[in-house]
Amino acid sequence: MDIDTVIMVDWSARSAPSPAKRTKDAIYVAERTASAGHVTYCRTRAAAQAHLMARLEAARAEGRRVLAGFDFPLAYPKGFAQALTGSADPFAVWDWMAGTIKDDPKNANNRLDVADLINARFDAPGPFWSHPVGKTPAHVPFRKPPHRGFAFAERRRVEQMAPGASTCFQLYGNGAVASQTLLGLPRLWALRQHFGDALAVRPFEDRDAPILLAEVYPAILSAEIRRRQRPGEVPDAAQVRVLASAFAALPPRHLDAILREGCPEEGWIAGLGHQAALIAALEA
């Protein structure tokens, strides 16, 4: 089956609703079909989840196949899931996070408490690190600790290959993605529970489904995104808009091959290593 609709999501770990006026570091959802495209601004994670649920339901009702990409890690380095849950299955982490993370309709959340809870399970400092000034979680160091004594690496293989990609364990600071992951995985777990067999997550699941989820990293097309940014457009909105257009324009066989790449335990960034093809698709 060919992909009919591409949705790209720029996530956020804000602890309060984003301003009414579009701003950076907020949630943007770009949707692209063969004939149209638009970007939606969501002020809270709850609103984003509701919007995604509605758009995916609409696609199913119309018989369209959807790829939805999210700009945060969908898994941790090999060994983390086993250490946290007793299972190497990345979905065991999603399930654990869904039962532990509290994230209310106005974005108030306990992600720092959950990172502290996870760190307390280990003898060595970390793996999660960095927190706001004035916060003093007992087990989350402010500065990056030496990553020693863990049954898993500090970085996934894909993060070692993608220039600028941040570790899954840095909670705060420029480029940090750990908070987005802690707050994003429970939302994806809810989508997976709702859609059941109609949804598959690549590369953890190789089966075909009407809805496919994948991890993306807009920075792989950073120069192209800057070149195509519209006057006055928020950079976050530009990156998901351009990324959605690029993936939607790929030949179906190439897109299918891209979505099957990567490790079924620690995931992959869809499109990494295929930047030239994505840019060519945009140009075409």
Side-chain angles (χ1 to χ4, degrees):
M1 293 189 294
D2 293 349
I3 297 292
D4 305 295
T5 302
V6 174
I7 295 174
M8 292 292 166
V9 183
D10 181 272
W11 200 242
S12 169
R14 282 178 179 261
S15 294
S18 299
K21 183 180 179 180
R22 292 192 176 203
T23 185
K24 65 177 183 177
D25 300 328
I27 299 176
Y28 290 87
V29 182
E31 183 171 339
R32 182 77 214 181
T33 65
S35 59
H38 62 272
V39 178
T40 301
Y41 175 56
C42 299
R43 298 180 62 195
T44 65
R45 286 177 291 277
Q49 182 180 339
H51 174 73
L52 286 166
M53 197 82 75
R55 298 309 301 151
L56 294 175
E57 286 285 14
R60 283 187 71 198
E62 296 167 9
R64 290 183 283 120
R65 193 184 188 207
V66 183
L67 165 64
F70 297 84
D71 73 335
F72 56 83
L74 303 192
Y76 290 86
K78 284 183 179 180
F80 177 84
Q82 184 74 43
L84 179 67
T85 70
S87 169
D89 185 354
F91 293 128
V93 176
W94 291 29
D95 188 11
W96 190 92
M97 294 293 184
T100 312
I101 287 286
K102 306 300 179 187
D103 190 14
D104 76 15
K106 292 190 178 295
N107 277 355
N109 64 83
N110 67 339
R111 70 186 187 275
L112 193 57
D113 295 331
V114 172
D116 191 66
L117 175 67
I118 295 172
N119 279 9
R121 294 178 172 223
F122 301 101
D123 295 329
F128 290 96
W129 60 279
S130 188
H131 56 77
V133 174
K135 298 279 187 180
T136 54
H139 302 97
V140 179
F142 183 73
R143 290 183 174 82
K144 181 176 178 290
H147 191 93
R148 301 191 188 113
F150 295 102
F152 46 89
E154 179 186 356
R155 293 174 178 269
R156 299 178 297 162
R157 178 170 173 264
V158 71
E159 288 152 6
Q160 298 171 26
M161 297 176 64
S166 180
T167 169
C168 300
F169 299 119
Q170 182 183 350
L171 292 159
Y172 288 84
N174 188 35
V177 296
S179 287
Q180 285 89 330
T181 302
L182 289 173
L183 296 172
L185 294 183
R187 300 291 180 177
L188 299 191
W189 179 252
L191 292 179
R192 191 169 184 264
Q193 294 297 100
H194 178 81
F195 289 103
D197 290 342
L199 182 150
V201 186
R202 298 292 176 84
F204 312 136
E205 299 171 298
D206 194 47
R207 62 184 176 83
D208 286 321
I211 301 167
L212 298 178
L213 304 189
E215 176 184 341
V216 295
Y217 183 43
I220 67 173
L221 293 182
S222 57
E224 194 66 21
I225 290 166
R226 285 193 299 270
R227 190 170 76 84
R228 294 173 178 269
Q229 186 176 352
R230 297 165 178 165
E233 186 177 25
V234 176
D236 309 61
Q239 65 182 14
V240 288
R241 176 180 59 79
V242 174
L243 203 64
S245 294
F247 275 82
L250 279 174
R253 281 191 177 184
H254 196 166
L255 178 57
D256 183 68
I258 284 174
L259 295 177
R260 295 182 188 278
E261 292 179 342
C263 174
E265 184 177 343
E266 63 176 24
W268 193 255
I269 293 169
L272 183 64
H274 299 271
Q275 290 93 318
L278 288 165
I279 293 171
L282 279 170
E283 297 292 347

